[in-house]
Amino acid sequence: MTYHRPSFRHPDLPTNELGHTRQYYEGALSTLCAGCGHDSVSAAIVQACFELAIEPHHVAKLSGIGCSSKTPAYFLNQAHGFNSVHGRMPSVATGANAANRQMAYIGISGDGDSASIGFGQFSHVVRRNLNMLYLVENNGCYGLTKGQDSATADVGSAGKRGIATAFEPIDLCAQALQLGATFVARSFSGDKQQLVPLLKAAITHKGFAFIDVISPCVTFNNTTTSTKSYDHMREHVRQADVVDFVPAEKEITVDYAPGTTKELTLHDGSVIHLTKAQSDLDTSDPHAALNAIHDHKVRGEVLTGLLYLDTELHDFHRVINTMPTPLRDLQEKDLCPGGDVLQGINSGLR
Amino acid sequence: MKPTDTKDPEYFHRVVDCQYACPAHTPVPEYIRLIARGRYSDAYMLNWESNVFPGVLGRTCDRPCEPACRRGRVEEQPVAICRLKRVAADFKDDIKDRLPDITPANGKKIALIGAGPASLTVARDLAPLGYRIDIYDQQKLGGGFMRSQIPSFRLPEEVLNEEVNYILDMGIATHFDTYISSLKSILDKNYDAVFVGSGAPRGRDLAKLPGRQEADANIHIGIEWLANVAFEHTAKIGKNVLVLGGGNTAMDCCRTARRLGGSDVKVVVRSPASEMKASPWEIEDAQHEDIPFYDCHVPLEFVTENGKLVGMHFDKVAAEYDDDGRRQLKSTGEPPVFFPCDDVLLAIGQENAFPWVERDIGIDFGKWDMPVVDEVTFQSSNPKVFFGGDAAFGPANIITAVAHGHQAAVSIDLFCNGQSVTQRPTPGTNLVSQKMGVHEWVYDNQIENSERQIVPLADKACALRDRKLEVELGFNLQTALEEAERCLNCDVQTVFTESACIECDACADICPTSCINFTANGDENDLRSRLNAPATNLEQDLMVSDLLKTERVMVKDENVCLHCGLCAERCPTGAWDMQKFDYSVTQAGQNEIGS
Ligand SMILES: Cc1cc2nc3c(=O)[nH]c(=O)nc-3n(C[C@H](O)[C@H](O)[C@H](O)COP(=O)(O)OP(=O)(O)OC[C@H]3O[C@@H](n4cnc5c(N)ncnc54)[C@H](O)[C@@H]3O)c2cc1C
Ligand SMILES: Cc1ncc(C[n+]2csc(CCOP(=O)(O)OP(=O)(O)O)c2C)c(N)n1
Ligand code: SF4
Ligand code: SF4
Ligand code: SF4
Ligand SMILES: [Mg+2]
């Protein structure tokens, strides 16, 4: 027996500026294990895109291989999608983005997909400051291939197999910071209150936005000895800030007590409000972010929230000075400037 | 909010909207599942036990369950609960061998006044326990208003006879054609208890309207006229007929008139059409038979020529509402409207009348000259005398009369056994997990999208020629199955165990109708304002858990839960389970007394 998701929804669901309900942003019914953190991340993406009032067909979903990389099927049914090869999502994202810079790019990867087989690709896409959201659903294991330790598993952490990890973990946020990412955040699949505004800010940010979402593998790595379990996360998360995102056109209606919040303005005029929570982090300083990540790790804690934001505009297209028009919209006259121009070039080479 | 006490049987009872709204608490989803499985006789018996007249009610019930049905909040139309009940009756096998055994006489004698649904229910509940039942009615057959008022084109006589006879055949002593002119004379016969189920038999008149006397020969009180038609004392009416009134009696009058020669039948109502009391489906049926409605017309006079009725004058009015929402009908000042007619049927209301109940036999009478009757025990101030049905609190409907009958029977049984009638038996309840395996449930949890099935009607010309031809043809087995599958199985409850929840959010994410929330606790208004989807239906409960590990609570808005089981399906720990909730109203003699 299989099961289906009924098509009825709550009759009074709110609509966004485009007149769509949340249902418009849903995807197919998940085939992941019941209780997988990845499904919560998909739900958070649905909510964020609904709240941002994005047209799904202005979005491209890109992924590699893994349970995490399957999830683009489970949100934004009507968006474009490319489920690529293991660890190769960054290349496909780069190609797509180069060809059409007007779309929103959401790359979904796993800790295996990004920190092992795709580690090289990951590094380079960060360097390029490609305008995309790069989201890693980090469960410390290779879920799809039955839970082998991944490169993000902490030393000593043991999943269902019961054997403690022997090697030092790769911290993908630290890597992203070192490689020049312009938006770096960490979150937890079980905390949509934090994740949804972070997603909205990351999608709106013009440049490379990296979010490492700890997303428990309920089947292979949710043991009492794992540092990526629901319980371990709930006990060891420390929030840098409480994040609120106010899109450009919206009036700010919430009262933020003066002095307690930091206001960061994105390129399109949207504002991120950060209210201090459990850490004292300067999000404009990559070194401070690196130190904070390290300090918390030493204490066995996981620092979540927005870790670093660079509001300068220097994404991939700006750096290599491309034209703004998507390639598909270029006409023959744009591509073939004519005999006179060719003659001019040729004569310049004589 | 405090954690919800789901051990209180009333909590899950309220979730089963249809069953809760049914005065007799018929287990609707259970019988609909039986129909879907082709078990018509079982579905019939389940109905018979709670509402006594499934074949009758499957055609005529006021259906308080349908406006309550959750399906009507999820999409446009509720499940056709009533017409599915008829399916059980239409397609059952012979069920006589399933009727209760009659235990030997217990030596107790009960008199029932009136043989309507209330009295018949008392008889059905008490006869099997060994009571000797004497039933009195002025009519020549049993059934009360079900026989004398509800026209055969809505309720065929065979259907009524069958279900009345199941009861009378339990050895009931019938005294038909017997008008009781003195309750004292009955009490003098030393019955152990007397049940008054005499209905509300008096139709209102317009005695003071000018012309009433002169036109008397062609003015008929609706309910008397319908009874005369039913008992074949009346077979004809004039061509032009005015029916005054906007309730269900008016609808039966106008449709009956169409069948007895009324070619131009008009319904004329005082109030605006939107406030007419008739059920929407009855209005639809009348309109289908080409009967026009004139609202906001207040009768002024009967007009006669040469001592014979020729028409009526009406004043056109408009409804105005004062600050308290009270309605006033104000004349528009237009000249009176004249409608010519040969006959007038008055269907402007119905009253109780107890000229035959002496006022010195210990029965207190209160407001509007109605007997004082306890709403739970149905006992009057004379402990031996119980009232039920329309006689107790004024005109209602069959299913209410049945519900009263059951409770009065419980009281009479307690009373005759020397026990207190206020120590009522508790309802029978049970919760059973529906999980069979991975993705497998005992119930069919797939939600069908099909719209409400339409009941086919007999050819209009044929129906108007034959007063006894049933208009509604009922579902066939295919449409019945499709309609049955629209039921959401609201009795299969979502049961939550907080200690098992790891707060992974899977249930909240999957729930198609956004019922489930994990959030900080608060008072009810505060919680309702913070849920994932608007929770504005205050008639529907919030189920709130105890504190979870993160100090949050699980809050489920019951309002539009589809009972699809996806929450339980996607829960990794079994913190959600789907459990079938049985709730049965305990009937006379069924269990020990509750506390
Ligand atoms: C025109 C019309 C249509 C209706 N249609 C519907 C419908 O479609 N669905 C629905 O649910 N309800 C309908 N009702 C209402 C329904 O018929 C009554 O609410 C229900 O029958 C009440 O049941 P009861 O047992 O209280 O009394 P009744 O059914 O009224 O029975 C009372 C009986 O007592 C007898 N009686 C009264 N006084 C004496 C006496 N002193 N001595 C001897 N006998 C006596 C009467 O003759 C009568 O037979 C309709 C009512 C009317 C008037
Ligand atoms: C080139 C290649 N090598 C190996 C595999 C096998 N493989 C499939 S998924 C996977 C690991 C996925 O881990 P992760 O990205 O963390 O995803 P998760 O399932 O944990 O979400 C591996 C090694 C493959 N599909 N392709
Ligand atoms: S194996 Fe792990 S990561 Fe994959 S779906 Fe199951 S719980 Fe999720
Ligand atoms: S049964 Fe569960 S998943 Fe289905 S609608 Fe109800 S609460 Fe939601
Ligand atoms: S799916 Fe189960 S464990 Fe997860 S939050 Fe819901 S009830 Fe709790
Ligand atoms: Mg993984």
Side-chain angles (χ1 to χ4, degrees), chain A:
Chain A
M1 274 270 302
T2 53
Y3 60 95
H4 306 269
R5 197 175 196 212
S7 57
F8 292 122
R9 293 293 175 272
H10 195 290
D12 307 320
L13 280 187
T15 52
N16 62 16
E17 279 96 281
L18 297 173
H20 302 313
T21 65
R22 206 159 50 208
Q23 183 175 20
Y24 194 73
Y25 296 87
E26 290 175 2
L29 187 62
S30 170
T31 56
L32 301 183
C33 305
C36 176
H38 299 354
D39 282 334
S40 290
V41 179
S42 299
I45 294 173
V46 167
Q47 185 67 24
C49 292
F50 160 75
E51 288 179 17
L52 285 175
I54 308 180
E55 277 295 1
H57 65 268
H58 290 156
V59 177
K61 309 173 289 186
L62 310 140
S63 62
I65 295 294
C67 296
S68 36
S69 293
K70 284 172 71 178
T71 63
Y74 313 139
F75 60 84
L76 264 56
N77 245 346
Q78 308 172 71
H80 305 269
F82 199 124
N83 186 193
S84 75
V85 191
H86 204 12
R88 269 55 185 163
M89 177 268 279
S91 314
V92 179
T94 305
N97 190 312
N100 182 350
R101 61 155 101 172
Q102 289 177 358
M103 307 246 294
Y105 292 92
I106 300 181
I108 304 289
S109 181
D111 42 325
D113 198 59
S114 284
S116 292
I117 193 169
F119 200 39
Q121 295 236 336
F122 169 74
S123 311
H124 289 284
V125 75
V126 183
R127 284 180 61 236
R128 286 194 284 269
N129 197 15
L130 197 69
N131 180 15
M132 73 178 298
L133 160 62
Y134 192 118
L135 190 152
V136 169
E137 297 177 353
N138 184 354
N139 53 16
C141 70
Y142 298 171
L144 191 70
T145 51
K146 294 200 177 326
Q148 299 84 350
D149 291 346
S150 79
T152 64
D154 294 313
V155 181
S157 173
K160 199 174 172 190
R161 240 171 19 126
I163 299 171
T165 305
F167 307 118
E168 273 301 315
I170 293 173
D171 187 307
L172 287 169
C173 284
Q175 293 295 329
L177 282 164
Q178 272 164 346
L179 292 161
T182 49
F183 180 117
V184 178
R186 178 166 281 145
S187 192
F188 169 42
S189 66
D191 184 2
K192 286 203 191 69
Q193 263 185 355
Q194 182 190 58
L195 182 54
V196 172
L198 277 177
L199 284 167
K200 285 159 72 181
I203 293 170
T204 309
H205 172 72
K206 288 217 164 33
F208 188 80
F210 178 71
I211 310 184
D212 179 38
V213 183
I214 312 297
S215 171
C217 171
V218 73
T219 301
F220 297 111
N221 204 11
N222 193 35
T223 54
T224 50
T225 48
S226 164
T227 58
K228 297 269 190 300
S229 68
Y230 281 106
D231 282 352
H232 185 90
M233 279 303 287
R234 292 233 153 85
E235 279 157 31
H236 296 87
V237 156
R238 297 294 174 269
Q239 275 203 30
D241 304 278
V242 175
V243 188
D244 194 11
F245 176 82
V246 187
E249 314 77 45
K250 277 263 170 66
E251 246 185 284
I252 296 170
T253 50
V254 186
D255 278 339
Y256 299 97
T260 62
T261 73
K262 197 160 53 173
E263 195 177 290
L264 305 169
T265 308
L266 296 181
H267 309 115
D268 71 340
S270 311
V271 174
I272 302 174
H273 280 274
L274 297 177
T275 309
K276 282 274 153 276
Q278 292 162 299
S279 129
D280 203 9
L281 179 67
D282 176 2
T283 52
S284 65
D285 178 358
H287 304 290
L290 280 168
N291 284 338
I293 291 171
H294 181 75
D295 292 348
H296 282 83
K297 190 184 151 198
V298 169
R299 292 201 293 270
E301 295 167 351
V302 182
L303 182 66
T304 64
L306 181 66
L307 303 176
Y308 174 68
L309 176 68
D310 172 2
T311 50
E312 293 292 308
L313 197 60
H314 47 79
D315 85 297
F316 172 66
H317 284 278
R318 211 161 242 261
V319 172
I320 64 168
N321 194 23
T322 59
M323 62 193 311
T325 322
L327 298 188
R328 57 139 206 247
D329 291 338
L330 293 179
Q331 305 300 316
E332 196 181 339
K333 69 173 168 33
D334 307 317
L335 294 168
C336 181
D340 294 350
V341 180
L342 184 61
Q343 287 237 298
I345 293 171
N346 281 343
S347 60
L349 295 172
R350 276 203 185 97

Side-chain angles (χ1 to χ4, degrees), chain B residues 521-541:
Chain B
N521 205 349
D523 65 32
E524 179 164 354
N525 287 340
D526 171 40
L527 275 180
R528 282 184 181 274
S529 72
R530 290 194 274 117
L531 301 189
N532 290 331
T536 50
N537 186 347
L538 302 182
E539 280 171 21
Q540 292 284 320
D541 290 322

Side-chain angles (χ1 to χ4, degrees), chain B residues 138-175:
Chain B
Q138 69 195 80
Q139 304 289 6
K140 62 179 187 207
L141 288 167
F145 270 20
M146 298 190 291
R147 187 180 301 278
S148 66
Q149 299 297 313
I150 302 183
S152 303
F153 57 81
R154 288 208 288 126
L155 174 59
E157 228 175 314
E158 316 82 74
V159 175
L160 178 62
N161 287 344
E162 176 186 330
E163 292 184 338
V164 169
N165 289 339
Y166 287 153
I167 299 167
L168 297 184
D169 290 348
M170 292 176 172
I172 310 294
T174 58
H175 307 268

Side-chain angles (χ1 to χ4, degrees), chain B residues 247-277:
Chain B
N248 287 341
T249 305
M251 299 305 107
D252 283 338
C253 283
C254 67
R255 295 180 70 197
T256 303
R258 284 286 277 132
R259 287 159 170 80
L260 296 194
S263 48
D264 180 354
V265 179
K266 297 183 177 71
V267 171
V268 190
V269 209
R270 289 163 56 91
S271 52
S274 59
E275 289 174 29
M276 278 172 56
K277 290 215 185 75

